[in-house]
Structures are given as structure tokens and as C-alpha cells.
Amino acid sequence: MLVVMNHKATPEDIDAVVKAIESRGYVAKPIPGGDRTAIGVLYNKGAVDNSFFLGLKGVKDVVPVTRPYKLVSREFHPEDTVIRIGDVSLGAENLTIIAGPCAIESETQALTIAEHVQRAGAHIFRGGAFKPRTSPYSFQGLGEEGLKILAKVRETTGMPVVTEVIDHETFDLVEQYADIIQIGTRNMQNFSLLKRAGHSSKPVVLKRGMAATIDEWLMAAEYILEGGNSQLILCERGVRTFVHHSRNTLDLSAVPVVRKESHLPIIIDPSHAAGRRDQVIPLSRAGVAVSAHGLMVEVHHAPEQALSDGGQSLYPYQFERLCQQVRSIFGTFRAEENGH
Amino acid sequence: MLVVMNHKATPEDIDAVVKAIESRGYVAKPIPGGDRTAIGVLYNKGAVDNSFFLGLKGVKDVVPVTRPYKLVSREFHPEDTVIRIGDVSLGAENLTIIAGPCAIESETQALTIAEHVQRAGAHIFRGGAFKPRTSPYSFQGLGEEGLKILAKVRETTGMPVVTEVIDHETFDLVEQYADIIQIGTRNMQNFSLLKRAGHSSKPVVLKRGMAATIDEWLMAAEYILEGGNSQLILCERGVRTFVHHSRNTLDLSAVPVVRKESHLPIIIDPSHAAGRRDQVIPLSRAGVAVSAHGLMVEVHHAPEQALSDGGQSLYPYQFERLCQQVRSIFGTFRAEENGH
Amino acid sequence: MLVVMNHKATPEDIDAVVKAIESRGYVAKPIPGGDRTAIGVLYNKGAVDNSFFLGLKGVKDVVPVTRPYKLVSREFHPEDTVIRIGDVSLGAENLTIIAGPCAIESETQALTIAEHVQRAGAHIFRGGAFKPRTSPYSFQGLGEEGLKILAKVRETTGMPVVTEVIDHETFDLVEQYADIIQIGTRNMQNFSLLKRAGHSSKPVVLKRGMAATIDEWLMAAEYILEGGNSQLILCERGVRTFVHHSRNTLDLSAVPVVRKESHLPIIIDPSHAAGRRDQVIPLSRAGVAVSAHGLMVEVHHAPEQALSDGGQSLYPYQFERLCQQVRSIFGTFRAEENGH
Amino acid sequence: MLVVMNHKATPEDIDAVVKAIESRGYVAKPIPGGDRTAIGVLYNKGAVDNSFFLGLKGVKDVVPVTRPYKLVSREFHPEDTVIRIGDVSLGAENLTIIAGPCAIESETQALTIAEHVQRAGAHIFRGGAFKPRTSPYSFQGLGEEGLKILAKVRETTGMPVVTEVIDHETFDLVEQYADIIQIGTRNMQNFSLLKRAGHSSKPVVLKRGMAATIDEWLMAAEYILEGGNSQLILCERGVRTFVHHSRNTLDLSAVPVVRKESHLPIIIDPSHAAGRRDQVIPLSRAGVAVSAHGLMVEVHHAPEQALSDGGQSLYPYQFERLCQQVRSIFGTFRAEENGH
């Protein structure tokens, strides 16, 4: 962190800031410049509160310098993390496809869709049993019944299953059934849930908050790694902007940034980014081309009858096409991108 | 909701959309227009999934028409809600000031600040015992010890106290000590927490999510009212935008919109919006002038030693000045604004 | 500017960055830190291209330190600028109200509205003769005929008039008629227009671009001052965010920031921020309370017949009420705020 | 457009709104619903001012229904537009690559880079002669000398050249030298410039404004087509959001939306979106994968000495790799995407 002094700050002002820094246990290093002085704050272990110094006399600005996370950082763990779930590997040189309905509605629905997506090339099945819904009047998911159906899908098809956990209370239950536990956008900074996930033995998918910076997202991930669980997958699903032709704006530059900053795998959810079916295939191609480690896509055999998010779910024939296209793209450039 | 058909949609396409609407239990009402047809969706009770119809053949767009919330709506409850906490009233014609430190650090700190803010004119004391922190390495609050200090402040000064609850697990504990329970920005869509708050006997302050629309915010409030707790206070604290001269962008137009749409009281948190001390007084004046029912302000007697958010906390002498200014402003125009 | 090196950057990497800095005529000052080195870039006169150093080997990040503007800065010109237009003063301790229709439609319309707003307390009349319109099919203004009507309004009422200039070609014409020339949001970075305004003898109102940072806005102002025209008024009119209950989000924290950074006066346009009549009065009160030097408000005697922006124009009786309310607010706190 | 009435609006309120609609020459069609009435506004030719009806008694909301543009719309011109510049085709089934430095600095620089990019596979050369710069103190381009160098590049390599026009005054000059004229982000709503471009005989690249919706962008394009010039290429270059790990957020969902809404070709500028070299190749791959008609990329043979935007310019060897990767990706899926 760097504290930038006013042009007219007096030596006494500078001295007072140095003392304030030292009183917090850091080392202060004044750096006289052309027409003003800046003061470096060194050897701070955790995060320093940026705003603290802004109120001191003579201070013009405060600029953060180093990143606040450690365990998720590639600087401290240079090798790509690979997550193994049964026979499936996610991370590094793999392209892993997760697909299924937004919500589990019935055994027939789940099995029908699972067979479709497996045949098309999906590696992991997704489906919500507990659904976070904006409205208290919307369908909230089948709960444990949904989890049992997921177990049945795994048993029948052999595919691992991923499902969302929405609170601490039902975490044990979800953990018991799921192969991968998903933490959704609205819970990215539900720190109680993150801490619980840190003690889980199951891999976790952590979706990016809809207005989260990459630093905040990686700090949320840090909570989970700090708790002892390093099987973490990041999932970019679009951020909220002024744009309204898609539900969210898919931020694909997050992929090269995360891959550079962190060793954790990162996948793309084009369905929630788009919010409409006709953008899902193009955005999936883009997600693989930008170098994501995988995709998570909503598919439904009869989207016009789906209980949630039907309008963004692909038909099985569209998902098949998606798989073909992204595998071709992946094949063309990934070899030489190895290790980037 | 209105389903807008393509310019070239056939009568068969229109018919299929009508059937899809009816199959969901709604009434469909085609409206032939100049060069295209639109279809109204009527008598939908809860929210309809916007995206559902987007994928149907011949559909160009879907536009929502009615608001998805009921209990929070002024249409269904025309009178302003007033919350009473001991001798303090919040809502309607009152201007209520809540002040205190970001986090409770010690009994001495809390009592010192409480005396300052009470003398200056605060009605309610605020202070965090459980702190949601972006970094796992930051100070996380004193927990129950902090709650006990809050009780001591109430006992000593007579002021009601408000403090944040960060998860379902500690809700009972917080409820036992607090006069008002605060749900923070990052938990605005923690539905498990909202449901629990709906069963609380204590009034709740619900902060706006940092990227939440007013509809989403009011839907989150609807969860609490739907659970049976109608003592709800909304708190605008800034939204995330491209702007970086303040931590968040205080969205003051939310106040007239919420006051028109809802009967619930709405207050302003200028401290978290600004993130820096020198904007807090001007934004407080603006918040009262725009017609908020109150303010929630961070004050610390020694902000340069605060364990969190020191840079945005006012000195006691500044808070005194703030109270004088906002009371004058409130006096000048509120009389004629009665009932707005 | 500070170039932050990677944790693992070699002495050779650091050396190469130092040389790159020096090759551009700056002074490089390496600052060894706890676990990495940062390098200060000193004595840079104009702006340094941030992105330049990002591509060099071993560089992790680049953080700007000093502000890029000079002439608009309060550091270099500590006293508030006051603009005098006839008998009207704008800036420092004054509260100046500008009002009138969005577009000049006819002499009768302009004179009718001018009498209304003058009686209510407006100091300056506004009205568009050349209108920048999103659609080529919308009403584009009366052009020179509109300017002549503005001259008639000045002659009849004695009020100075402000009107927008939309291109270099018509600048001379507008300059001939107007007392103050307005540069609109969409032209904030039309550098050709800014340079021409720098050579004008008339004061200029420079509206903030709808996605402009304060630095960019002040740099646009710098173009005008650098050209020799220091009679400049800044106008905050809302920025584009994800929010949709108002047309734009009025960023009131810009006022204290601009007043601290710059000596130039800053006014608020609540009409374009809101885009709807029912938010204009509350936002005007907030704008004065936050400490703006004035307001620019749309008023129409028959808004339901206005050729543009009728929905956001106040009725004369509403404008009267607005003037009373903001004068009361201004009176209550401005005295003690003097000079702040 | 649909005017939604309040729940409690009286028949008189509804009548007054109907009359207001009819007084503007439209047809009003009341649509009684479950618990409120909506009124359709039909047969409006140009854009209707949304905000007009918001102020009328009993009106709750106004929702636009049809798109305001015509000539750019695919509904009215179903076939893809293909632009031909010499031997190069842009649009429909082509992948066209434009590359070169941000600014022309000298003949040697331009020719050196032109040879590099041509060898790697670029079809069109880019380079700025007139530069719009945020700061008046930054390098503003070589002006006509730069245009002459561009002509020399065309003569030597046979590649068509594209360069930016920044104002009406220099339009004739730029038109004389350039094969394609670029209108930059900051000028997307410089209507004077758009009108002039509408009378040009040269094709135009219209960059998206940094906070422009797709509707606004297509309306800006409509100005040019309405003027008679239908050789228009749209260019997505990122929008401004809260995100700061890239200079702008590349909005790739704009590509499928524009391709559906309009017949005009759309290309991607990954260099200005990213603002840093290490994101340019991944975003280029994504841009081609999402189905853009081309790319515009900044390349410099010695970026560390570039006079502007050096930090985002690729080295020639990187551009070569980019071309190989995007051609492979294009080959894999474009065939079956034909006609999409």
C-alpha cells in the first residue's frame, strides 16, 4: 500500500502518517518525489484497511499495491490445480462439460436429460434441489427428494453430480449426496457458508458474485482454502452492468486474469450469463476459446415446460451441437497453449 | 407481462404462444398492433419467468408489466409504516439518527462513543459484533462479548441498539440482545436468513445489495413480510458502478421511488456509500433533503485507531455538526412535504 | 506512477524497467519492499501511458499516483472561481438557478415559460435550439430561429440565456446569441468542440459524460482552460449504471470531490438524471444540500405537449415549490460551510 | 409502447391518457387486465418519447415495445451486408483481420509493421493520424503527414487502410486518403459527424460508445444509413463497468444480438477492450468463436517505444500466433454456422 501525500503536506503531516502506520505494526517507508511525497506501507500480512489513512491530515490518496490473497495465488502455488471427481478431471489441460436442468423436477425428467447430455458428451450432471429464488412465491426446489434423484442419476449413468447448497443448515444433507457442491452468485460472500465449505471433503464450485471484483472473488475462495479444502473450481457467470440485451454481461477477460493470478480451475456458465437460449452456444464457444477449463450449461428436454429458467435452457439437439463445436475449438489451439 | 411477437410471426406461432401461456394457468390476451402482435399474460399471481417465452418460435421480446411484490407495496397498504422501538419512532414524519462505530471493540470504546453520539442527538446506537469481512484474515468482531457490550450501552444510555446478524446459526443469539437486527448488503439475498428474520419479533434493517435493483430489494423485503414480520426498515448504502471516487455510488433517487412504491421506511447509510470521511456530511445532508426517514452513520472517537472502517468514521465533533445541519434541513421542508 | 514488480522479478528485470522509464525522459526510483520491489516514475509532466509498462518482463501491476490535470486543479489555484454573467454570479457562495424548457418550440412558449421561472426565482434561462437526438427521426430543434427567440427572451426579461452547441460548424452562430454555451454529455470528449470552446469569450457549461470518471471530466475541462477560457462551469447530470428506476444515477458524491479537487463551480441537472418528473424536486433538494453551486432544471408550462422530454419537465407550480425548498435548505447550512 | 395504469386509476384517468396519445397522432388501444389497465400506443412511426406519459395522472409505468430503428434492421433487410474494399470482403461468411499500430509515428514504423501484419495474414492496415486523447498534453497524432504515410503503406503493400476521423473539419481530408473511415467510441453520438459520414462514399467503421446500449448504437448507425451510406461496419470494443482488471469489459453477447437484429457486419477490437497485451490473444479467439466477422488488433514492432497504447500492442510474433489460432477456430465451426 502506498499513501500519497498532498503537494503541500508539511514534514509534520508526513511524520504523523509514518507514526500511524507504525502504530499498526507495519513498516513505513517515505519516498520523496518530484512535487510530493508518498509513503510505502510494508510487511503488512493480512489486508490493510485502505480507507484508514484517507482521513489523516495531508493525505491525498491511498493506492493498494499487493494482492490480499495468498493460498489461491499462483505466486505461492505455481502449478495448475487439477480436481479429480471419480474418473473425471477438471483443470489444467482438460475441457470438462457439466450439463443438466436448472432444477430437478422429477426422476423421469432428470434421467431423460441425463441420458441426453451424457450421450452428447457431458462429463458431469448438474441439477438444483434447493433453489435460491428472488421471489418467495417462486418454485423453491424439491429439497431432499431432489438430492435422491441426483443420486439415482449418478447410479444409473455413472456421472458425478453437482448441486447447489443455499445455507449452512442443509449443508450436511447436500454434502451427503453431491459429488461437487455449488455455491451460488448470491452467496459468494456468505462467509458462514464459505467457512463450512472449507471443512467439506467435497470439491466446491464457487460462482462469482454479480458485482464482485476478481480480488473479492479470490478472497472468497481464500476463505475455503484457508479452511482446509483446496478442491475449488471458480465459475464466471456474468456480471451486472448497464447492458440489458443479456441478463448479465459475461466477463471473459476474467479467464486469462484468473489463470494468471491463481492456480485454481475456472469454468464458464453461459446460461445464466445470457438468460436467453439463443446466446448460449456462441458464448460457450467463446468461453472455450478464451481458455476456460470447462462449461456448465442448462439443458432441458422440454424447456417450455420447465419449472425455472426454461427460456435459457438448450434443447438436447442444441447441446449436442454445442459439444461438437467446443470440442473442435478446444482441439485447435489448446495443444500449443499448454502451460501458457 | 407482454409477449411481443415478430413482425413475421404466423397465426400458428401466435396460437402456440397462447397455448403455452394457458398451459401455465394464465390468461392470454392477443393484442394485434400496427405491424406486429403482442400477447398480454394476465392473472398471474406470483412472478412469471420472463425468459420462458423468449425461446418460443416467433417471439421477439418479453416485457414485464406488473410488479412482483405484494405485501411491501403501497398499492396494497397505502399508509406509511412506523416502527416503534422503545421511545423511538422510525418512519412517516420522523427523522431518526442511528450512529456508532463500525465494530464494537471494547466496553470503553462503545460507551465513549455512545455518550458522544447521544449528546449530539442520535436516537439509536449501532455497532457490529459479528462482522462480515472480505478477507478471512481481517478482524471478525468480538461476537457475543460485543453483544454484551451493546446491552451495557443500552442499559447505560437508554438508547436502543442495532447490530448485524451474519448467519442463521447466530440469529437467536443476536435476537436476544439487539433491539433492531441488521441484514447487510452481502446477505440481501441470503434467503435462509431472510426467512429466519421473517419469524423474528424484532424490527429488521435490510440493506440494499450492492448490485440490487429496487424490485429485487423489495422482493427480499417481501420474504420477511411474508414470514410474518412487518417491522422492516430499508437502508440505501450505495451501489457498485464504474465510479471510483467514492466506494459506492449513493443512489438517492431510490428514496422517492421506494416511498412511492412501498409503505416501508427508508434510511440512508452515507458512511458505507462514501467509504471516506470527507463525503459523509454532504451525503447526509443530501439524504435528509431527498426525504429519507433517517440516517445510519459511523462515528468513532479515535478513528485512526479503529479496527475497521476507520477512514470513513466521523470524529465526534463532525457528527455534532452533521446532526445540526440535517435537523435544520429537515425542519425547512418536511412540514409541507407531509404525506408527500 | 508506480510500477510494481513480481515477487520473482530478477535484478535484470528491474534494471530493464528502470531503463525503459528513463528512455522516456522520466526519473525512475526503485523502492525495495517486503517481498517485492516497486519503482516510482517521477517528474513526468503530462500523463504517462499506464499500460506501457504492463507488458514488460517481471511487471505485475502499474498504479497511477498523481492527477493528470493542472489548470483545473485546486492545488494550483486555491480560490473558488466565480463566473459573472451580467448581474448573475455563479460559484463560491452563490446558489444559481437555471431553468427553462428542454427545447425552444416557439416565441410564445419560450416567453411564457421564462416569465414563470423568473417569477419563481430563476436567474438564468435555458432552452435548446440545436438538439442532439438519439434518433435521426426525432425533433432536432429550431436552429437559428431558436437562438433568435432566446435573444428575445433575454431582451424581454433581462435574464442571461444558456443553450447547447452540438458541433464546431454552428459554434460561431451559437456564440453570437448565447450568454453561456453548453456542451452536452455526448460531447464531453468531442475534443474538437472543447478546443473551440477554449477560444470562446463566453462562459461554458460542461456536462459530465454518462460514463466519465471525474478525472476524465476534469481533463476535458483542462482542454478548455488550456485554450484560454477559464470561465467554466461543471454540470453533474447522472451516470449510466445498472439502475433503471431513474434514467441515470445522479452521482452526488461528485460534488464534494470536485469542490475539493478543483476551483471550478459545479451545478446539478436533476431533470436529465431522473428522466421523470416525480424525482426532480427531491433530487434538487439533495443537490443543493450536498453543496452544489446551482441547479439546471427543465420546466414547461404544458409538458404534455412538449416536443421533447416532456415527461421530466416540471409544471410551473412545481418549480415554484422547488425554488422555495432549495432556498430554505441553502440558507440553513451554507453560512457555516463557507470556504469549507 | 405500452402505458401501464395504476391499480386505482379511474376511467377518467384512462380516458385522459387515451386523449393524450391520440393528440400526438397515434392510435391508443386500452387493454383491461386482471387488476389494472394497460394502453397500447400503435402506429407510431419514429421514436415516441417514453417519459412523456410518465407524468400523467394514474400512470404507473411506460414500457417500450418495438425497436426504434428501421434501415439497420434485419426485419427490413434480411440478407447479410457484405462490404467490399478492393479485393477484401467484410461481412457474411468472411473473417477479416485488421491490424496495425495505434498511431502512425513515421513511415519506417508504419511500413515495418505493415509488412509484419501482412505476412501474418492481416487483410487491412490500421493506424491513427488524428488521435482523440483524454489529455490535451498527450501526443495528438501526425495529422495529414500520417495520412500520407497510410497512402504509402497502401501503395507498397496493396492493403486497404483504415484510420479514424475525429471531427467534421478534417473529414474531407481523411476521406481523401482512407479506404475505410473509423468513428471512435467517444464520437458514437457526435451526430454532426454521423451525418457527414452518411454522405461519404467510403465505408465506415462505427465503434460502440463505452456506455451505449445496442439500441443506441444501432440508432447511431441509422443516422449513417439514413444519410445514404450503407457501407457500415459495427465494432464492439468493450463497455465501461465496475470491472478493473481490463480497461473495458468486452461484451461478446453483443455479437449474436447484433447479428440477429441487423444485417450489418460486426467486428471486435480486443486491444482497446483489454488495455493490456496479455488478454488480447484470448479475447481475439473468443471474438472469432462467438461469430464476429472480423478483428481489429493493435500491433507494434517495438511496443515499448510506441507513442500511444504501447502496453496493449502485440509484438509481431504474437500477432502471427493470433492469426493462426483464430483461423483454426474459424475453420472448425463456421461452415455449419452458415446463415445461422
Side-chain angles (χ1 to χ4, degrees), chain B residues 205-283:
Chain B
V205 169
L206 179 65
K207 289 199 160 188
R208 181 175 176 189
M210 85 175 73
T213 63
I214 290 190
D215 272 12
E216 289 167 345
W217 190 17
L218 292 178
M219 285 309 293
E222 185 88 4
Y223 264 94
I224 296 174
L225 269 69
E226 203 265 338
N229 185 356
S230 57
Q231 300 184 82
L232 188 61
I233 301 154
L234 298 162
C235 180
E236 161 67 31
R237 44 76 73 202
V239 291
R240 185 158 276 181
T241 69
F242 71 88
V243 167
H244 284 269
H245 55 264
S246 54
R247 192 190 292 158
N248 296 283
T249 300
L250 189 63
D251 176 18
L252 285 179
S253 72
V255 175
V257 173
V258 163
R259 291 195 64 161
K260 190 175 170 194
E261 284 294 320
S262 177
H263 51 90
L264 295 171
I266 175 167
I267 64 173
I268 296 292
D269 174 348
S271 306
H272 284 88
R276 25 193 317 168
R277 186 179 300 138
D278 56 6
Q279 298 174 11
V280 173
I281 296 183
L283 292 179

Side-chain angles (χ1 to χ4, degrees), chain A:
Chain A
M1 177 170 295
L2 196 75
V3 179
V4 184
M5 302 300 291
N6 264 329
H7 171 66
K8 292 185 174 162
T10 63
E12 289 71 34
D13 294 343
I14 294 170
D15 220 52
V17 173
V18 165
K19 290 221 174 68
I21 293 168
E22 290 174 351
S23 77
R24 307 219 139 197
Y26 308 132
V27 173
K29 196 174 169 70
I31 310 153
D35 54 1
R36 72 180 75 237
T37 290
I39 305 172
V41 181
L42 307 180
Y43 301 105
N44 47 308
K45 291 306 179 205
V48 182
D49 185 356
N50 297 18
S51 66
F52 170 67
F53 301 101
L54 282 172
L56 300 182
K57 188 156 170 289
V59 171
K60 187 166 180 64
D61 213 346
V62 174
V63 281
V65 171
T66 49
R67 294 290 186 278
Y69 41 80
K70 310 255 180 253
L71 302 174
V72 303
S73 166
R74 194 178 278 280
E75 283 194 279
F76 293 86
H77 181 308
E79 295 306 306
D80 276 358
T81 285
V82 178
I83 316 277
R84 290 184 211 286
I85 315 106
D87 295 340
V88 180
S89 292
L90 200 156
E93 309 314 317
N94 303 286
L95 177 68
T96 308
I97 299 177
I98 304 171
C102 178
I104 298 296
E105 298 168 12
S106 71
E107 193 177 307
T108 311
Q109 174 245 22
L111 284 171
T112 306
I113 297 171
E115 280 161 30
H116 277 302
V117 301
Q118 187 171 38
R119 202 160 43 224
H123 307 95
I124 298 172
F125 185 72
R126 63 149 286 155
F130 294 96
K131 301 295 304 170
R133 300 304 298 265
T134 302
S135 164
Y137 309 121
S138 297
F139 172 60
Q140 311 260 330
L142 294 182
E144 187 168 6
E145 192 194 330
L147 296 173
K148 286 181 179 160
I149 294 173
L150 283 167
K152 185 71 189 287
V153 167
R154 173 177 46 218
E155 195 187 306
T156 312
T157 65
M159 281 192 286
V161 297
V162 55
T163 197
E164 182 166 355
V165 65
I166 59 171
D167 51 34
H168 202 139
E169 301 88 280
T170 53
F171 200 108
D172 290 358
L173 190 65
V174 172
E175 195 176 32
Q176 192 183 321
Y177 287 96
D179 298 297
I180 307 176
I181 292 168
Q182 178 180 319
I183 295 180
T185 293
R186 291 169 183 76
N187 280 317
M188 190 202 86
Q189 290 191 318
N190 182 334
F191 300 113
S192 163
L193 204 60
L194 298 179
K195 285 176 186 169
R196 176 63 186 81
H199 301 122
S200 177
S201 59
K202 295 290 174 69
V204 173
V205 169
L206 179 66
K207 288 199 161 186
R208 180 175 177 189
M210 85 177 72
T213 64
I214 289 189
D215 272 11
E216 289 167 344
W217 190 17
L218 292 179
M219 285 309 291
E222 185 88 4
Y223 265 92
I224 297 174
L225 268 70
E226 203 264 337
N229 186 356
S230 57
Q231 300 184 81
L232 188 62
I233 301 153
L234 298 162
C235 179
E236 159 68 30
R237 44 75 73 202
V239 291
R240 186 158 275 182
T241 69
F242 71 88
V243 167
H244 284 268
H245 55 264
S246 53
R247 192 189 291 159
N248 297 283
T249 300
L250 189 63
D251 176 18
L252 285 179
S253 72
V255 175
V257 174
V258 163
R259 291 195 65 161
K260 190 175 169 193
E261 284 294 320
S262 176
H263 51 90
L264 296 171
I266 175 167
I267 64 173
I268 296 292
D269 174 348
S271 305
H272 284 88
R276 22 193 319 167
R277 185 179 301 139
D278 56 6
Q279 298 173 11
V280 172
I281 297 183
L283 292 179
S284 295
R285 291 193 309 251
V288 170
V290 89
S291 210
H293 294 100
L295 298 173
M296 169 133 70
V297 182
E298 285 189 10
V299 180
H300 199 289
H301 65 296
E304 62 288 353
Q305 285 155 30
L307 292 180
S308 64
D309 280 349
Q312 74 195 31
S313 297
L314 296 185
Y315 286 92
Y317 80 90
Q318 292 176 310
F319 179 66
E320 226 172 284
R321 196 166 151 201
L322 181 158
C323 288
Q324 287 160 5
Q325 294 188 355
V326 301
R327 274 193 304 252
S328 306
I329 290 173
F330 182 71
T332 63
F333 73 90
R334 194 54 73 87
E336 71 176 290
E337 276 299 293
N338 267 356
H340 60 117

Side-chain angles (χ1 to χ4, degrees), chain D residues 192-204:
Chain D
S192 164
L193 204 59
L194 298 179
K195 285 177 185 167
R196 175 63 185 81
H199 300 121
S200 177
S201 59
K202 297 287 174 72
V204 173

Side-chain angles (χ1 to χ4, degrees), chain C residues 50-176:
Chain C
N50 297 19
S51 64
F52 170 68
F53 301 101
L54 282 171
L56 300 183
K57 189 156 170 288
V59 171
K60 187 166 180 63
D61 212 346
V62 174
V63 281
V65 171
T66 48
R67 294 291 185 277
Y69 41 81
K70 309 255 179 254
L71 303 174
V72 303
S73 166
R74 194 180 277 281
E75 282 195 279
F76 292 86
H77 179 308
E79 295 304 306
D80 276 358
T81 285
V82 178
I83 317 276
R84 290 185 212 285
I85 315 106
D87 296 340
V88 179
S89 292
L90 200 158
E93 308 315 316
N94 303 285
L95 178 68
T96 309
I97 300 178
I98 303 171
C102 177
I104 298 297
E105 298 168 12
S106 71
E107 193 178 305
T108 312
Q109 175 245 24
L111 284 172
T112 306
I113 297 172
E115 279 160 30
H116 277 303
V117 300
Q118 188 172 37
R119 204 160 42 225
H123 307 94
I124 298 173
F125 185 72
R126 63 149 286 155
F130 294 96
K131 302 296 304 169
R133 300 304 300 265
T134 302
S135 164
Y137 309 122
S138 298
F139 172 60
Q140 311 261 331
L142 294 182
E144 187 168 6
E145 193 194 329
L147 296 174
K148 287 180 178 160
I149 295 173
L150 283 167
K152 187 71 187 287
V153 166
R154 175 178 45 218
E155 195 187 307
T156 311
T157 65
M159 280 192 286
V161 297
V162 55
T163 197
E164 182 165 356
V165 64
I166 60 172
D167 49 36
H168 202 139
E169 300 88 281
T170 52
F171 201 107
D172 289 358
L173 190 64
V174 172
E175 196 176 31
Q176 192 182 323

Side-chain angles (χ1 to χ4, degrees), chain C residues 20 23-24 46-47 49 51-56 59-61 68-71 131-138 140 166-169 186-187 189-193 195 210-213 215-216 219-220 222-223 226 240 247 275-278 303-312 315, chain D residues 20 23-24 46-47 49 51-56 59-61 68-71 131-138 140 166-169 186-187 189-193 195 210-213 215-216 219-220 222-223 226 240 247 275-278 303-312 315:
Chain C
S23 77
R24 306 219 141 197
D49 185 357
S51 64
F52 170 68
F53 301 101
L54 282 171
L56 300 183
V59 171
K60 187 166 180 63
D61 212 346
Y69 41 81
K70 309 255 179 254
L71 303 174
K131 302 296 304 169
R133 300 304 300 265
T134 302
S135 164
Y137 309 122
S138 298
Q140 311 261 331
I166 60 172
D167 49 36
H168 202 139
E169 300 88 281
R186 290 170 183 75
N187 280 318
Q189 291 191 318
N190 181 335
F191 300 113
S192 164
L193 204 59
K195 285 177 186 168
M210 85 175 74
T213 64
D215 273 12
E216 289 166 344
M219 285 308 292
E222 185 87 5
Y223 265 93
E226 204 264 338
R240 185 158 274 181
R247 192 189 292 159
R276 20 194 321 168
R277 186 179 301 139
D278 55 6
E304 63 288 353
Q305 285 156 29
L307 293 180
S308 65
D309 280 350
Q312 74 196 30
Y315 287 93
Chain D
S23 76
R24 307 219 140 197
D49 185 357
S51 66
F52 170 67
F53 302 101
L54 283 171
L56 301 182
V59 171
K60 188 169 179 64
D61 211 347
Y69 42 80
K70 310 255 179 250
L71 303 174
K131 301 296 304 170
R133 300 304 299 265
T134 302
S135 165
Y137 309 121
S138 299
Q140 311 261 330
I166 60 172
D167 49 36
H168 202 138
E169 300 88 282
R186 291 170 183 76
N187 281 318
Q189 291 191 317
N190 181 335
F191 300 113
S192 164
L193 204 59
K195 285 177 185 167
M210 84 175 74
T213 63
D215 272 11
E216 289 167 344
M219 285 308 291
E222 185 87 5
Y223 265 93
E226 204 264 339
R240 185 159 274 183
R247 191 189 291 158
R276 23 194 316 170
R277 186 178 301 138
D278 56 6
E304 62 289 352
Q305 286 157 28
L307 292 180
S308 67
D309 280 350
Q312 73 195 30
Y315 286 92

Side-chain angles (χ1 to χ4, degrees), chain D:
Chain D
M1 179 170 292
L2 197 74
V3 179
V4 184
M5 302 301 292
N6 266 328
H7 172 64
K8 291 187 175 159
T10 62
E12 288 71 34
D13 294 341
I14 293 170
D15 221 50
V17 173
V18 165
K19 290 221 174 70
I21 293 168
E22 291 174 351
S23 76
R24 307 219 140 197
Y26 310 133
V27 173
K29 195 176 169 69
I31 310 153
D35 54 1
R36 72 179 74 238
T37 289
I39 305 173
V41 180
L42 307 180
Y43 302 105
N44 47 309
K45 292 307 178 202
V48 182
D49 185 357
N50 296 20
S51 66
F52 170 67
F53 302 101
L54 283 171
L56 301 182
K57 189 158 170 286
V59 171
K60 188 169 179 64
D61 211 347
V62 174
V63 281
V65 171
T66 48
R67 296 288 186 278
Y69 42 80
K70 310 255 179 250
L71 303 174
V72 303
S73 166
R74 193 179 279 280
E75 282 195 279
F76 292 86
H77 180 309
E79 295 305 306
D80 277 357
T81 285
V82 178
I83 316 277
R84 291 185 211 285
I85 315 107
D87 295 341
V88 179
S89 293
L90 200 158
E93 308 315 316
N94 303 285
L95 177 67
T96 309
I97 300 177
I98 303 170
C102 178
I104 298 296
E105 299 168 10
S106 71
E107 192 177 307
T108 311
Q109 174 244 25
L111 283 172
T112 305
I113 298 171
E115 279 161 31
H116 276 304
V117 301
Q118 187 171 37
R119 202 159 43 225
H123 306 94
I124 297 172
F125 184 72
R126 64 149 286 156
F130 294 95
K131 301 296 304 170
R133 300 304 299 265
T134 302
S135 165
Y137 309 121
S138 299
F139 173 59
Q140 311 261 330
L142 293 183
E144 187 168 6
E145 192 193 329
L147 295 174
K148 286 180 179 161
I149 295 173
L150 283 168
K152 186 71 187 286
V153 166
R154 175 178 46 218
E155 197 187 305
T156 311
T157 65
M159 280 193 286
V161 297
V162 55
T163 197
E164 183 166 356
V165 65
I166 60 172
D167 49 36
H168 202 138
E169 300 88 282
T170 52
F171 201 107
D172 289 358
L173 190 65
V174 172
E175 195 176 32
Q176 193 182 322
Y177 287 96
D179 299 296
I180 306 177
I181 292 168
Q182 177 179 319
I183 294 180
T185 295
R186 291 170 183 76
N187 281 318
M188 191 202 85
Q189 291 191 317
N190 181 335
F191 300 113
S192 164
L193 204 59
L194 298 179
K195 285 177 185 167
R196 175 63 185 81
H199 300 121
S200 177
S201 59
K202 297 287 174 72
V204 173
V205 169
L206 179 65
K207 288 199 160 187
R208 181 176 176 189
M210 84 175 74
T213 63
I214 289 188
D215 272 11
E216 289 167 344
W217 190 17
L218 292 179
M219 285 308 291
E222 185 87 5
Y223 265 93
I224 296 173
L225 268 70
E226 204 264 339
N229 186 356
S230 58
Q231 301 185 81
L232 188 61
I233 301 153
L234 298 163
C235 179
E236 161 67 31
R237 44 76 73 202
V239 290
R240 185 159 274 183
T241 69
F242 71 88
V243 167
H244 284 268
H245 55 265
S246 53
R247 191 189 291 158
N248 296 283
T249 300
L250 189 64
D251 176 18
L252 285 179
S253 73
V255 175
V257 173
V258 163
R259 291 196 63 162
K260 191 176 169 192
E261 285 294 321
S262 176
H263 51 89
L264 295 171
I266 175 168
I267 64 173
I268 296 292
D269 174 349
S271 305
H272 285 88
R276 23 194 316 170
R277 186 178 301 138
D278 56 6
Q279 298 173 12
V280 172
I281 296 182
L283 292 179
S284 295
R285 291 194 309 251
V288 170
V290 88
S291 208
H293 294 100
L295 298 173
M296 170 133 70
V297 182
E298 285 189 7
V299 179
H300 200 288
H301 65 296
E304 62 289 352
Q305 286 157 28
L307 292 180
S308 67
D309 280 350
Q312 73 195 30
S313 295
L314 294 185
Y315 286 92
Y317 80 91
Q318 292 177 311
F319 179 66
E320 226 173 285
R321 195 166 152 203
L322 181 156
C323 287
Q324 287 160 6
Q325 293 188 356
V326 301
R327 275 193 304 253
S328 305
I329 290 173
F330 183 72
T332 63
F333 73 91
R334 194 53 72 87
E336 71 176 288
E337 277 298 295
N338 266 354
H340 59 113

